[in-house]
Amino acid sequence: NIETVIPSLDYCISIKPLSYRSAFQIAEKTFQDKELKKFYDEYRNRLSSIGFNFLSLPFVLSLSIEYYKNNKNIPDRIENILEEWIQSKIKNDSKKVRDTNNKVNKIPIKYIEQVFSLLLYKSKIEKNFFSIPKDNFHDIIFECYNELISTNSIINHCLNFDEFVSLISHYEILVLENDNYYSTPHPIISDYLIAKEFAKNWKSHLD
């Protein structure tokens, strides 16, 4: 045997699914009494339709708690939970004033979501990037902008290329991490957005 030393790696953290008990203990920090019981009941009822493997993810549990706070229920499809997070993120980011150009704040939410779906689809499906390297990021943005031109998208009628780049940085669905890769807050967000674009292009993958 040969001893090896990796100076830069001191420890490794593994994020595991939450147990049923742990999920409820986290919920107790947000809800109390009757509201807590109603959340328990909703959570239990969704274990079969959404699945424990999803609901036990710490990120999804936090989204489920936030969804329940806003709607007083947990939907029977995980897509509704993810969609609410994305739309809420876009609405909140639209309130931020970054520069004097306010055009990116006026683009309807559904078109902004389509931009990120296309960007992530190109990155993962076409280029096999699970996270997007900083060095490749603007090239992929340029490809997306050109593809949207070919489909006569409303985005291209509203924004030039520089404004399109500003839109992607303004709405922080993708964030540059310390490792110089762009990624969403959780892979499940990426997979959901990619699936929406994939649904429009699935026939092209049959060959």
Side-chain angles (χ1 to χ4, degrees), residues 118 122 142-154 156-157:
L118 178 61
K122 280 191 166 296
F142 185 70
E143 287 182 29
C144 290
Y145 188 76
N146 284 339
E147 183 163 325
L148 290 170
I149 289 175
S150 68
T151 60
N152 200 29
S153 169
I154 190 172
N156 303 95
H157 291 283

Side-chain angles (χ1 to χ4, degrees), residues 192-203:
Y192 172 69
L193 288 169
I194 290 167
K196 296 188 77 169
E197 183 65 26
F198 188 88
K200 298 188 295 186
N201 297 289
W202 65 271
K203 289 185 178 179

Side-chain angles (χ1 to χ4, degrees), residues 111-124 126-127 132 136-156 159-161 164-165 167-168 174 197 200:
Y111 296 113
I112 296 169
E113 189 172 344
Q114 287 172 9
V115 167
F116 283 100
S117 289
L118 178 61
L119 181 58
L120 287 162
Y121 175 89
K122 280 191 166 296
S123 301
K124 185 171 183 179
E126 296 184 3
K127 302 183 182 299
I132 308 173
N136 300 90
F137 192 56
H138 279 77
D139 290 338
I140 298 173
I141 292 175
F142 185 70
E143 287 182 29
C144 290
Y145 188 76
N146 284 339
E147 183 163 325
L148 290 170
I149 289 175
S150 68
T151 60
N152 200 29
S153 169
I154 190 172
I155 291 284
N156 303 95
L159 305 176
N160 61 37
F161 179 68
F164 183 71
V165 174
L167 179 143
I168 291 170
L174 283 164
E197 183 65 26
K200 298 188 295 186

